[in-house]
Amino acid sequence: MSILYLLIPLGLLLLGLAVAAFFWAVGSGQFDDLDSPAMRVVLDDDRRPPPDSEAP
Amino acid sequence: AEAPLSELLERIAALGFRPQPTVYGERSLGAREHYRQALKRLLVAAAAGMQVMMFAVALYAGAFSGIERDMEQFFRAVSLLVATPVVFYSARPFFAGALRGLRTGRPGMDVPVALAIGIAYTASLLATLSGSGEVYFDSVVMFVLFLSVARFLEMRSRHRAESHVAALASLLPDDVVRIRAGVRERCDIDALAGGDCIAVAPGDVVAADGIVVDGELELDEAVLSGESQPVRRGTGAAVIAGAQNRAGHATVRVTATGAGTRLAEIGRLIESAQADRPPVVVLADRIAMHFVAGLLLLAAGVGLFWWFADPARALPIVLATLVVTCPCALALATPAALASAATRLAERGLLLIRARLLSVLTPGTVIVFDKTGTLTRGQPTVTQVDVVDARETTTTALALAAAIEDGSEHVLARAFADVPAAAAHAVSARQTVAGAGVAATIDGVRYRIGRADFVAELTGLPGEPPDDEQTLVYLGRDGGLVAVFTIGDALRADAAEALTALTGAGFEVAIASGDRPGVVAKAAAALGVEHWHGGLTPEAKVGFVRSLRADGRRVVMVGDGINDAPVLAAADGSVAMDAGTALARASADAIVPGKRLLTLAELAAIAAATRRIVRQNLAWALGYNLAAIPLAASGWLAPWMAAIGMSASSLIVVVNALRLRRYRSAAGTAAAPALAEAAT
């Protein structure tokens, strides 16, 4: 069982890397808006493009 | 006398709040940082929690079936290693809150929590270093994790309430065309000052309040009036920021910019309405304070008793008491149910943004509807065709009108857009006269469609005065009048059914509209609504809502359009039918993107179910706490049992809340679409 003395610290190291990666993701705004990308699919953007030429 | 800002900020900080000076439109930044930090803390607690649980299993197994001394020490050491960041980083807010509470003499829930965490960690640390005694790292981390999750969910829902200022600022364009000494230049909207002249072209959003100096604009002023018909603003007329220009060019002299515009004023109305904290919250805070004081006394008393009775057991028993009395299940009781309800509602076509709406929809509440765009489609349609010329039928008259109006930018022309077989006519020499109508030639015959006097010029018949109650469009040709079309805003197909369902469920229904009283009366009659008000300005609508609340009634407002935003915020709860106006979205408690009114009836049913489940959860959580306290105080519960008991009770609460996911109401019959299909 003495292999655990190696494996557990190794596991913790990997976990540390994962946590660091998560910290980076949060810092770069990946988790800022989890709702509106899902909502955007459903919402209509009914604004028509402005007319190129004006009516007389 | 003026106080320096720094002094104000210090005083506010001393009270326990975190003051943050912000620039108009930038409120959301502080909230975002707060959210990110909370997320990081939560993750550290979760990751560490998983590790500690694993190690704890090894230690417990070792306690039962034997473990080598070195191995035991090793596991304790790594548990300590993993639990330390949780206590010093993830649990920081609890310690900070506890200190603040003690300093200001108002201890909150943070005090017993911080005590439990601190005591457990210190005891475990000492035990690890000395190699003897019990360790409670798993209890500590589990404790912190659970509480962090609950607080995180709470914070998220609070932050959503504060995002409207950003939505307001996003309505206006980033840059405008300014005219200085005859030269046109692009400039930042922030650089505009009173007295500047800006150019407004078709498709632009007006950037500031002002007066038209030269030219004419056809403005969609949904910002102020919520009406679908655009208004003509000629020289000397006032225009407002946020209005969309449908047609025409003009030069506008700026009278108010940024925070001084009408738009900003509406935003401030919303803010003040939202800052209105319900008295229930204040009461709950006060009760929590007494509860905490009692809790601490109890824990101290228990500790004291056991210190004399059996000192070795004093620490674990005090820990168990503190942990068990922590109202985790109580804290999760409501949020868990609300989260499930929100998911279920989303499946039924309603996006729930703020949960307070569910607690407001009790029988007896008044539901106030806006008319245009909410009860009606918000689009002009032909409601009636009076054929004057006997040679034509309704169909042919419509076809003629549609052919002439084809491609017209005018809002009323949209009413003819759905008419089929308009292509049968070859239209030539089409000429649009702004504000009057369209003239065209079909098969060699001259036609005119539009206002009565414009058409009368061709037909030779006397023009009729415009009707105050309806919008009439005349179609005439060389020989005489062909037909008169009544353009109206048709009621939504499910409006009557939805209102009947709501009154049947015990709600009172009213209509408050900015449209002309005659039109509102007709709609109210068609829907069977007794209480209605027409011709209301946004302020008048807010006044109406406030007067209802002053009478002790609860008010839920259903509307759309930006002018409804202050009214939505002034009511106890609000629903926005239109997903397109960002401001209504931000200030409403729920949105119905599919604009389906029957969804409201389902909302009421789900709200009732949610309240039921919340009551069940609260009863269970309280019962558990009360039963567990004597067990813990008398030494029957070890700290790990207390922690498991706390987790199990929270789990039960969450599972009960999940029942809402499967809720099926009588109103929710097959016709309800999922959100994806509802985008029409």
Side-chain angles (χ1 to χ4, degrees):
Chain A
M1 270 312 210
S2 55
I3 190 68
L4 282 178
Y5 290 128
L6 172 67
L7 286 181
I8 289 186
L10 203 58
L12 289 181
L13 184 68
L14 285 175
L15 183 69
L17 288 176
V19 171
F22 180 79
F23 271 43
W24 167 84
V26 171
S28 76
Q30 301 296 330
F31 291 95
D32 274 354
D33 189 356
L34 302 172
D35 307 308
S36 78
M39 280 212 276
R40 264 209 300 264
V41 187
V42 184
L43 297 179
D44 278 343
D45 188 350
D46 280 342
R47 262 171 292 140
R48 290 147 93 202
D52 292 314
S53 55
E54 53 154 325
Chain B
E2 283 183 358
L5 182 63
S6 53
E7 191 183 310
L8 285 172
L9 294 179
E10 267 175 46
R11 290 278 195 87
I12 297 175
L15 284 172
F17 296 96
R18 214 184 300 166
Q20 262 174 344
T22 78
V23 174
Y24 174 75
E26 274 185 19
R27 167 87 49 95
S28 50
L29 249 96
R32 197 185 62 180
E33 281 316 305
H34 199 192
Y35 164 75
R36 285 184 180 180
Q37 262 212 334
L39 201 53
K40 288 184 194 170
R41 293 206 161 112
L42 193 58
L43 176 88
V44 168
M50 289 192 287
Q51 300 304 309
V52 159
M53 309 293 194
M54 267 201 310
F55 303 149
V57 168
L59 285 171
Y60 287 137
F64 273 120
S65 54
I67 184 173
E68 287 165 13
R69 190 96 175 98
D70 293 342
M71 194 57 71
E72 190 186 31
Q73 268 308 102
F74 175 69
F75 273 111
R76 286 186 174 196
V78 281
S79 298
L80 171 68
L81 180 68
V82 164
T84 305
V86 174
V87 171
F88 287 100
Y89 177 61
S90 300
R92 250 265 199 90
F94 299 119
F95 289 112
L99 277 177
R100 230 179 322 162
L102 290 173
R103 242 206 331 249
T104 60
R106 293 149 143 246
M109 282 312 303
D110 286 338
V111 177
V113 167
L115 265 181
I117 298 174
I119 294 176
Y121 177 75
T122 314
S124 308
L125 173 68
L126 293 173
T128 309
L129 290 178
S130 71
S132 67
E134 296 294 320
V135 288
Y136 308 104
F137 292 120
D138 50 342
S139 313
V140 169
V141 176
M142 233 195 294
F143 200 41
V144 173
L145 178 62
F146 250 81
L147 287 176
S148 298
V149 169
R151 299 259 168 123
F152 183 75
L153 291 176
E154 215 186 328
M155 176 199 73
R156 283 262 278 166
S157 60
R158 229 183 326 123
H159 279 171
R160 269 184 243 230
E162 294 162 4
S163 65
H164 65 267
V165 179
L168 185 100
S170 72
L171 271 179
L172 301 176
D174 289 324
D175 53 5
V176 284
V177 176
R178 182 169 56 185
I179 306 175
R180 270 213 173 141
V183 176
R184 292 177 168 231
E185 53 178 15
R186 283 244 150 216
C187 79
D188 233 19
I189 193 177
D190 299 320
L192 273 186
D196 280 346
C197 284
I198 58 173
V200 182
D204 284 350
V205 172
V206 179
D209 288 356
I211 300 182
V212 178
V213 159
D214 177 28
E216 196 175 69
L217 297 170
E218 217 170 280
L219 295 177
D220 180 350
E221 285 186 344
V223 178
L224 199 57
S225 64
E227 296 307 318
S228 49
Q229 283 196 18
V231 187
R232 267 169 49 226
R233 300 277 178 224
T235 313
V239 298
I240 49 171
Q244 293 181 345
N245 184 25
R246 295 263 178 251
H249 289 267
T251 310
V252 172
R253 194 181 64 232
V254 174
T255 53
T257 59
T261 59
R262 195 88 167 82
L263 197 64
E265 201 180 295
I266 292 178
R268 279 193 290 276
L269 276 176
I270 301 173
E271 277 180 33
S272 73
Q274 275 183 347
D276 196 16
R277 296 240 124 249
V280 179
V281 173
V282 177
L283 182 66
D285 283 346
R286 212 171 293 154
I287 291 181
M289 221 166 53
H290 293 302
F291 181 71
V292 165
L295 184 58
L296 290 174
L297 281 173
L298 173 73
V302 166
L304 219 57
F305 169 77
W306 282 99
W307 184 252
F308 292 117
D310 187 353
R313 301 178 64 193
L315 180 64
I317 289 182
V318 167
L319 270 183
T321 313
L322 278 176
V323 168
V324 126
T325 52
C326 172
C328 247
L330 208 60
L332 276 178
T334 318
L338 294 178
S340 293
T343 314
R344 183 70 186 136
L345 283 169
E347 287 168 16
R348 304 306 292 170
L350 184 137
L351 290 170
L352 187 69
I353 299 176
R354 248 167 278 141
R356 68 168 179 165
L357 183 63
L358 295 178
S359 57
V360 170
L361 279 169
T362 50
T365 302
V366 181
I367 304 187
V368 181
F369 286 86
D370 176 46
K371 186 188 76 65
T372 311
T374 304
L375 291 173
T376 64
R377 290 224 184 83
Q379 285 166 11
T381 50
V382 181
T383 52
Q384 199 180 315
V385 180
D386 294 310
V387 179
V388 173
D389 191 335
R391 288 171 290 172
E392 304 290 351
T393 64
T394 308
T395 327
T396 57
L398 275 174
L400 283 168
I404 302 172
E405 295 270 28
D406 188 30
S408 169
E409 279 295 315
H410 196 271
V411 152
L412 291 179
R414 280 193 243 147
F416 297 101
D418 299 330
V419 174
H425 297 282
V427 180
S428 58
R430 188 185 284 122
Q431 188 198 11
T432 310
V433 178
V438 183
T441 307
I442 301 180
D443 300 330
V445 182
R446 283 187 305 167
Y447 284 86
R448 278 199 181 184
I449 186 169
R451 285 167 58 118
D453 43 5
F454 175 68
V455 172
E457 285 168 21
L458 182 67
T459 63
L461 295 170
E464 311 206 5
D467 192 332
D468 190 36
E469 293 208 355
Q470 345 193 43
T471 309
L472 299 173
V473 173
Y474 292 80
L475 173 67
R477 58 181 164 208
D478 266 323
L481 203 57
V482 174
V484 182
F485 304 98
T486 311
I487 310 288
D489 201 0
L491 288 173
R492 288 191 199 274
D494 57 350
E497 197 184 332
L499 290 185
T500 319
L502 286 171
T503 30
F507 296 96
E508 207 181 288
V509 172
I511 301 180
S513 171
D515 208 347
R516 293 157 292 184
V519 183
V520 181
K522 266 180 35 184
L527 292 169
V529 174
E530 290 170 6
H531 306 283
W532 60 267
H533 297 266
L536 296 177
T537 61
E539 288 88 357
K541 283 192 195 176
V542 173
F544 173 57
V545 169
R546 289 226 167 106
S547 70
L548 279 174
R549 292 183 75 192
D551 280 343
R553 309 298 300 276
R554 272 194 170 150
V555 181
V556 170
M557 181 75 198
V558 181
D560 81 332
I562 302 170
N563 75 309
D564 288 332
V567 201
L568 292 177
D572 292 294
S574 56
V575 180
M577 295 301 292
D578 182 355
T581 49
L583 201 51
R585 249 188 291 161
S587 45
D589 296 328
I591 317 172
V592 184
K595 302 179 202 174
R596 193 174 149 265
L597 284 167
L598 274 175
T599 312
L600 294 174
E602 288 188 51
L603 169 67
I606 292 183
T610 309
R611 283 195 299 273
R612 220 174 32 238
I613 300 246
V614 167
R615 270 198 300 269
Q616 289 169 6
N617 281 351
L618 287 176
W620 158 256
L622 266 172
Y624 158 78
N625 268 346
L626 290 175
I629 288 179
L631 283 178
S634 60
W636 276 94
L637 286 178
W640 62 266
M641 287 198 287
I644 288 185
M646 191 190 70
S647 314
S649 72
S650 307
L651 197 67
I652 290 178
V653 157
V654 169
V655 166
N656 190 29
L658 283 178
R659 281 168 50 203
L660 272 175
R661 293 279 219 102
R662 260 175 281 267
Y663 182 77
R664 224 170 295 254
S665 73
T669 45
L675 267 185
E677 301 161 14
T680 44

